[in-house]
Amino acid sequence: MTLPGNPVLGRLTDLRYELALASRILANEGVLDAFGHVSLRHPSDPGRYFLPRARSPQLVEPADVLEFTLDSEPAKPAVDKLFAERVIHGSIYAARGDVMAVCHHHAAAVLPFCVAGVPIIPVFHLGAAAGEDIPFWDQRDEFGDTNLLVVKPEEGRSLARTLGAHPAVLMTHHGATVVGKDLRELVSRAIFMCQNAQYQLQAHLLGKVVPLSSGETRLAGSINAMPNVVGRTWEYWTMRLADAGRLPGRPPRRVVR
Amino acid sequence: MTLPGNPVLGRLTDLRYELALASRILANEGVLDAFGHVSLRHPSDPGRYFLPRARSPQLVEPADVLEFTLDSEPAKPAVDKLFAERVIHGSIYAARGDVMAVCHHHAAAVLPFCVAGVPIIPVFHLGAAAGEDIPFWDQRDEFGDTNLLVVKPEEGRSLARTLGAHPAVLMTHHGATVVGKDLRELVSRAIFMCQNAQYQLQAHLLGKVVPLSSGETRLAGSINAMPNVVGRTWEYWTMRLADAGRLPGRPPRRVVR
Amino acid sequence: MTLPGNPVLGRLTDLRYELALASRILANEGVLDAFGHVSLRHPSDPGRYFLPRARSPQLVEPADVLEFTLDSEPAKPAVDKLFAERVIHGSIYAARGDVMAVCHHHAAAVLPFCVAGVPIIPVFHLGAAAGEDIPFWDQRDEFGDTNLLVVKPEEGRSLARTLGAHPAVLMTHHGATVVGKDLRELVSRAIFMCQNAQYQLQAHLLGKVVPLSSGETRLAGSINAMPNVVGRTWEYWTMRLADAGRLPGRPPRRVVR
Amino acid sequence: MTLPGNPVLGRLTDLRYELALASRILANEGVLDAFGHVSLRHPSDPGRYFLPRARSPQLVEPADVLEFTLDSEPAKPAVDKLFAERVIHGSIYAARGDVMAVCHHHAAAVLPFCVAGVPIIPVFHLGAAAGEDIPFWDQRDEFGDTNLLVVKPEEGRSLARTLGAHPAVLMTHHGATVVGKDLRELVSRAIFMCQNAQYQLQAHLLGKVVPLSSGETRLAGSINAMPNVVGRTWEYWTMRLADAGRLPGRPPRRVVR
């Protein structure tokens, strides 16, 4: 949807809708719940990113999406409540030029691994999307006893360092942060990483967890981002969200800010 | 909603609605089922509390909410059926001046721990809301073979003694009782304690349960009651209840009793 | 609902509705699925019982309910397809004068126990409804290799012998059969037995299954049939069925047969 | 529904509807998700089969169903995106004259077995539908590191060889492929195989997995295809799909191609 007379504004309107949609899809598929957040780097200004105001992901509307600097300060004075942990997003965008989208979550599927300290490894073809070895970050190692929220800039930078060049990082006693080269890759990676964790735990119960080989992980790692696959998953997850009556409100025809 | 001419009556009407809402939210989130109950201390008369008539929590309407003395006798002669286990509430309000809300439940997430006698310990930041060590109460220790319902005043007092200053108590072969300094803290604590139990069991299956440190538990223990968080969770759980078509009937404009 | 001029007919109409309702509640609560069936002894003719025609339990309508002799032959020539396993019902009514309702099911919660050969034992107060020790019946012991369906009269009688005076019997590689002194006791017993199985399995995973004492089992064994409790559970399960849009069609005003 | 003047066209219209219905039932029952596909051999031309265009199974409409040769080439030039893994279907139809329907899936219930390399064995009467021993196929054995998608004709033929005369084959790190002598047998076999896997895993957790005897497996193996049973399951699964609002659009009155 491009607005006549202002293509940039139209594109940003689309982008806010897409971010609200991604946020709600991740909630509807069990990655996000009351908590967690998804962000998107500004498509033409790499020093800015978009993140909703502090609100449960399944309720995010396009109009809730705000713009931030890489210091995670609001680009315009904000009246809304902001996510305390937004430094996660800013720190990663600052450290990783290739990352265009970030999701921080506490999914039920990954939490047991964050408690047991057991690494999540790729056990099925789609699970390869999260890479061969996902690093662990324990806030306590560097910052001692905290309430485990990632709030200070140095906490965000420490997390980004542990993430390194990986597609995801596990956070001890807390959850996970996943990144993508675009929003749809991020969404499918986050969802398949949760499925992978679930299958891994159950295979462990059956007695043996056989991971993909390194070669298989590399080759299968981009299935989730193949156009044929993205088209299919996006239609499917959107249909499920629509069935749940949870599509975002349509973007307004004209956004005046 | 304050009624013109009678602010106290208006506040109590709100309170009855809020209690019905809390009751239904806890059912919708899997803490309560056909059984269990939530109560609220009278805001201006600490010697009284509010509890619904005997009815499944997901069906409670504001008009079902009755007033009780701390002996768990109805403040006015009651024609409705009452919960057999209401002494749980009265005994705790009598023993704990700081407690403003109580929930007794048989959630599927905590029952395995009540059967195995394994303590629930904080394993993720939000799970810290239930404290570092939740005591166990076995009715049989003091009262021998019973049908496990907490019905006699001395049974209620015994349970309250074991609860002590903790946020929750596990009841062997039965369930749990959780308390809060207000209704919303109680609701989030009960929900996060269930999530914590679930992650703890699965981490145990993965081979190792690493709890939060004492310092982390203390610092993270109040995240669930932070205003920014309560606003978000309450909107989210209410939205989910609305999606399920289970919001309580709106309070009548004027309550004549 | 009593029909003017024919109280017996009115009562049977009610009874057919109640049986369809019980059938759908058990399906909605996960005890029954595509398979399984519930029956009711004729209230005034102990030599007859009511059972639906062969149809998935969540689809049963009052008009699907047929009358059978204790030999499990239709009381009137039937044009409908009949359950192959109806001898389960007839054999139990013949052997147990105190039984007024029977349910045979393959619930996901009990199947693992039927495969592992591990007894289900009472681990929480409501689970006591299924008794202290539920016997196992393996069709192969007496009949060798079969397709495991209980079809022959002697198979039904053998199952009834193993059931003995118990509230339920587990069937190796197959499922369970539960009985009750009325329909609502049966329904609650079947549901709580499934919950008990689930908690027992998870307590086993935590490392220890501590059962109720014999005295506790005896005392708690009838909580599920207490009027205060039955009123509450029936309203709750019916509400859930109504929310799922699955209530049976209302009984016709006048049944002409 | 037979169209006047063109009985063959009418039958094919029905068949496309039936395939869309089967596809959606399998998704609604948790066998398929965003991925997986079901096909049907042409009823009068054994050298052809029907498969939808690349689309999530719960969204398939009759008009999405295309015709393929056994080389898995579209019978008519296709403008739609096609499933990359369609060689699975063509290879099996070429190798197995008795097979009329094929389903490839990644069901959550079977994946843990595909990761642990533990065989699925029949543990309850309906689970016998998948046979006594389901073979394993590991793409890596013959083709080395791949992205695990079965895309090349020789990969399809290799899979078909391992399937042999079995009703199903497990695919290491990937999923399963199930076959049937008609569409409804296939659907019930796929669903009951998933239930069997789930019960087997939980029985394993209880400590012991006792399989059916060979004789029981042989005798119980066709329960799922008994007319009395098929009628019941198909009505039930269709009802559940209708309740979910996911029935395919009705077939158009007249199909012009």
Side-chain angles (χ1 to χ4, degrees), chain B residues 185-202:
Chain B
E185 188 197 53
L186 172 73
V187 167
S188 61
R189 176 174 282 155
I191 291 173
F192 297 139
M193 178 176 155
C194 285
Q195 289 182 3
N196 190 90
Q198 188 186 326
Y199 303 153
Q200 181 178 340
L201 185 144
Q202 292 188 291

Side-chain angles (χ1 to χ4, degrees), chain A residues 1-237:
Chain A
M1 196 185 85
T2 306
L3 297 184
N6 194 335
V8 172
L9 200 55
R11 227 171 51 225
L12 293 184
T13 306
D14 280 1
L15 175 156
R16 285 179 162 88
Y17 182 82
E18 189 85 352
L19 187 55
L21 183 61
S23 183
R24 287 163 176 252
I25 282 177
L26 284 166
N28 199 47
E29 300 301 325
V31 177
L32 302 173
D33 48 19
F35 302 105
H37 16 89
V38 198
S39 70
L40 190 56
R41 195 195 288 265
H42 194 297
S44 55
D45 180 354
R48 297 285 176 93
Y49 70 91
F50 294 98
L51 178 76
R53 66 177 175 96
R55 196 175 196 193
S56 282
Q58 202 148 14
L59 286 149
V60 168
E61 294 290 354
D64 293 324
V65 175
L66 306 174
E67 196 174 328
F68 294 88
T69 65
L70 295 199
D71 292 331
S72 296
E73 293 302 321
K76 297 175 187 173
V79 292
D80 299 308
K81 283 183 180 149
L82 306 179
F83 286 121
E85 298 192 304
R86 60 193 184 278
V87 296
I88 293 175
H89 302 267
S91 303
I92 290 174
Y93 288 122
R96 287 275 301 269
D98 61 315
V99 166
M100 294 302 285
V102 175
C103 173
H104 168 59
H105 69 76
H106 315 150
V110 308
L111 250 301
F113 292 83
C114 300
V115 172
V118 169
I120 294 176
I121 54 178
V123 298
F124 84 123
H125 61 319
L126 295 164
E132 195 166 3
D133 56 316
I134 304 173
F136 262 103
W137 182 74
D138 188 342
Q139 193 160 340
R140 201 158 173 252
D141 290 342
E142 199 170 329
F143 303 97
D145 284 342
T146 64
N147 69 359
L148 283 101
L149 297 180
V150 183
V151 175
K152 298 181 188 161
E154 57 268 31
E155 291 168 339
R157 284 193 296 266
S158 170
L159 177 67
R161 273 195 303 276
T162 301
L163 171 67
H166 294 277
V169 55
L170 289 171
M171 302 157 77
T172 304
H173 295 136
H174 184 155
T177 298
V178 187
V179 304
K181 67 175 199 301
D182 61 47
L183 198 54
R184 295 187 178 193
E185 189 198 52
L186 172 73
V187 167
S188 59
R189 177 173 282 156
I191 291 173
F192 295 139
M193 179 175 154
C194 285
Q195 290 182 1
N196 190 90
Q198 186 186 329
Y199 303 153
Q200 181 179 340
L201 185 143
Q202 292 187 291
H204 172 78
L205 296 181
L206 283 171
K208 200 174 173 187
V209 177
V210 185
L212 266 59
S213 73
S214 295
E216 287 173 326
T217 305
R218 191 173 31 80
L219 291 165
S222 55
I223 292 177
N224 73 306
M226 284 164 53
N228 195 359
V229 169
V230 172
R232 214 182 314 164
T233 51
W234 205 255
E235 184 188 26
Y236 175 66
W237 292 323

Side-chain angles (χ1 to χ4, degrees), chain D residues 24-254:
Chain D
R24 287 163 176 252
I25 283 176
L26 284 165
N28 200 47
E29 300 300 326
V31 177
L32 303 173
D33 48 19
F35 302 105
H37 16 90
V38 199
S39 70
L40 190 57
R41 195 195 288 266
H42 194 297
S44 55
D45 180 354
R48 298 283 175 94
Y49 70 91
F50 294 98
L51 179 76
R53 65 179 175 96
R55 196 174 195 194
S56 283
Q58 202 148 14
L59 286 149
V60 168
E61 294 290 355
D64 293 325
V65 175
L66 305 175
E67 196 173 328
F68 294 88
T69 66
L70 296 198
D71 291 331
S72 297
E73 293 302 322
K76 296 175 188 174
V79 292
D80 300 307
K81 282 181 182 152
L82 306 179
F83 286 120
E85 297 192 303
R86 60 193 186 277
V87 295
I88 293 175
H89 302 266
S91 304
I92 290 174
Y93 289 122
R96 286 276 299 270
D98 61 315
V99 166
M100 294 302 285
V102 174
C103 173
H104 168 59
H105 68 77
H106 315 150
V110 309
L111 249 301
F113 292 84
C114 301
V115 172
V118 169
I120 294 176
I121 54 177
V123 298
F124 84 123
H125 61 321
L126 296 164
E132 194 166 3
D133 56 316
I134 303 173
F136 262 103
W137 181 74
D138 188 342
Q139 193 158 340
R140 203 160 174 250
D141 290 342
E142 199 170 329
F143 302 97
D145 285 342
T146 64
N147 68 0
L148 283 101
L149 297 180
V150 183
V151 175
K152 297 180 189 162
E154 55 270 32
E155 291 168 340
R157 283 193 296 265
S158 169
L159 176 67
R161 273 195 303 276
T162 301
L163 171 66
H166 295 277
V169 55
L170 289 171
M171 301 158 78
T172 304
H173 295 136
H174 184 156
T177 299
V178 187
V179 303
K181 68 175 197 304
D182 61 47
L183 198 54
R184 295 186 178 193
E185 188 198 52
L186 172 73
V187 167
S188 60
R189 175 174 282 155
I191 291 174
F192 296 138
M193 179 176 155
C194 285
Q195 290 181 2
N196 189 90
Q198 188 186 327
Y199 303 153
Q200 180 179 341
L201 185 144
Q202 292 188 291
H204 172 77
L205 296 181
L206 283 171
K208 200 174 172 187
V209 176
V210 185
L212 266 59
S213 73
S214 295
E216 286 174 326
T217 304
R218 192 172 30 79
L219 291 164
S222 55
I223 292 177
N224 74 305
M226 284 165 53
N228 194 0
V229 169
V230 172
R232 213 182 313 164
T233 51
W234 205 254
E235 184 189 25
Y236 175 66
W237 291 324
T238 303
M239 171 276 281
R240 281 165 57 89
L241 190 63
D243 279 3
R246 293 262 110 231
L247 284 179
R250 296 298 311 170
R253 268 205 179 247
R254 181 169 280 275

Side-chain angles (χ1 to χ4, degrees), chain C residues 31-32 47 53 70 77 107 110 113 121 132 134-135 161 203 211 215 253 257:
Chain C
V31 177
L32 302 173
R53 66 180 176 95
L70 296 199
V110 308
F113 292 84
I121 54 178
E132 194 165 4
I134 303 173
R161 273 196 302 276
R253 281 228 159 232
R257 295 174 61 86

